[in-house]
């Protein structure tokens, strides 16, 4: 994946602490599970399936980090899931997270359906294989490390964080197309 232009971010070598520089150059340490990190994610796909992208905006206080990437042949749901996986895996340690998603598929999958899928050997209630099992498993693992509050936001409805994540996802789609 690629990091979009953002303020400097570094991890201290001997501590599980994220150090960010704000606009004035002052260093702030984000200690795991003490500072709230707000994340907005989005996925995009040109054709479904087709080239697609994912984007994530991470904000902790005055610090922000933008991430995006893409795939040449994918679906919108896969890119929505990949955005959350990449955002959570970018955190250096267990964190308190408010996760804003515009995908009920991702939110409900993690908050309602996944326990049943796991209990049923990754089969749906209709006894069919769960679609995108590889990403659901990666997402489940990424979520285990964090204290997450899930928030659904309506896509393309003026939420600044969602609009930024959408723009990053579209950049990921363009990158996947080779542009």
């Amino acid at each position: 994946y690629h990091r979009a232009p953002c303020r400097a971010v570094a991890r201290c070598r001997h501590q599980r602490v994220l150090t960010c520089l704000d606009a004035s150059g002052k260093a702030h340490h984000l200690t795991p599970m003490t500072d709230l990190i707000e994340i907005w994610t989005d996925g995009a796909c040109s054709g479904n399936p087709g080239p697609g992208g994912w984007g994530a905006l991470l904000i902790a206080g005055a610090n922000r980090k933008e991430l995006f990437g893409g795939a040449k042949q994918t679906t919108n749901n896969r890119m929505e899931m990949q955005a959350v996986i990449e955002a959570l895996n970018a955190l250096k340690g267990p964190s308190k997270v408010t996760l804003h998603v515009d995908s009920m598929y991702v939110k409900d999958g993690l908050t309602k359906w996944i326990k049943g899928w796991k209990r049923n050997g990754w089969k749906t209630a209709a006894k069919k294989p769960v679609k995108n099992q590889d990403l659901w498993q990666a997402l489940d693992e990424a979520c285990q490390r964090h204290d997450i509050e899930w928030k659904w936001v309506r896509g393309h409805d003026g939420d600044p964080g969602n609009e930024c994540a959408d723009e990053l996802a579209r950049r990921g789609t363009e990158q996947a197309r080779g542009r």
Side-chain angles (χ1 to χ4, degrees):
Y1 63 84
H2 295 275
R3 293 171 196 239
C6 61
R7 294 178 177 88
V9 178
R11 191 177 90 177
C12 297
R13 283 192 158 177
H14 304 292
Q15 301 174 348
R16 293 184 69 90
V17 174
L18 189 63
T19 303
C20 300
L21 301 180
D22 66 18
S24 68
K26 181 179 176 186
H28 297 274
H29 300 290
L30 306 177
T31 55
M33 299 302 282
T34 59
D35 292 307
L36 177 65
I37 300 172
E38 298 237 25
I39 299 174
W40 286 263
T41 62
D42 202 8
C45 203
S46 182
N48 199 15
W54 58 267
L57 171 65
L58 294 77
I59 297 179
N63 307 295
R64 74 187 272 141
K65 185 178 198 176
E66 297 175 346
L67 306 171
F68 69 94
K72 290 183 183 207
Q73 189 68 11
T74 190
T75 64
N76 190 71
N77 281 342
R78 288 185 69 80
M79 292 294 92
E80 294 280 0
M81 296 169 75
Q82 193 67 47
V84 177
I85 293 166
E86 297 291 344
L88 294 175
N89 286 343
L91 302 176
K92 302 302 182 195
S95 303
K96 286 183 185 177
V97 175
T98 300
L99 188 52
H100 306 262
V101 296
D102 65 3
S103 169
M104 289 301 293
Y105 175 70
V106 172
K107 181 179 181 288
D108 287 349
L110 263 296
T111 62
K112 295 179 181 177
W113 307 330
I114 199 163
K115 288 179 185 168
W117 292 338
K118 288 164 58 173
R119 186 176 54 247
N120 295 331
W122 291 98
K123 302 273 191 228
T124 66
K127 307 293 185 218
K128 297 186 185 232
V130 171
K131 291 182 181 176
N132 303 313
Q133 179 182 339
D134 58 330
L135 293 180
W136 284 119
Q137 289 173 324
L139 193 48
D140 184 38
E141 183 180 327
C143 288
Q144 297 306 313
R145 296 186 294 271
H146 307 290
D147 177 11
I148 301 171
E149 176 187 0
W150 290 84
K151 289 197 175 179
W152 180 78
V153 297
R154 184 175 306 281
H156 312 285
D157 200 38
D159 180 290
N162 179 257
E163 296 296 333
C164 179
D166 178 67
E167 173 61 29
L168 291 165
R170 284 187 272 129
R171 286 171 64 185
T173 301
E174 291 303 310
Q175 173 189 324
R177 285 183 172 151
R179 295 184 184 167

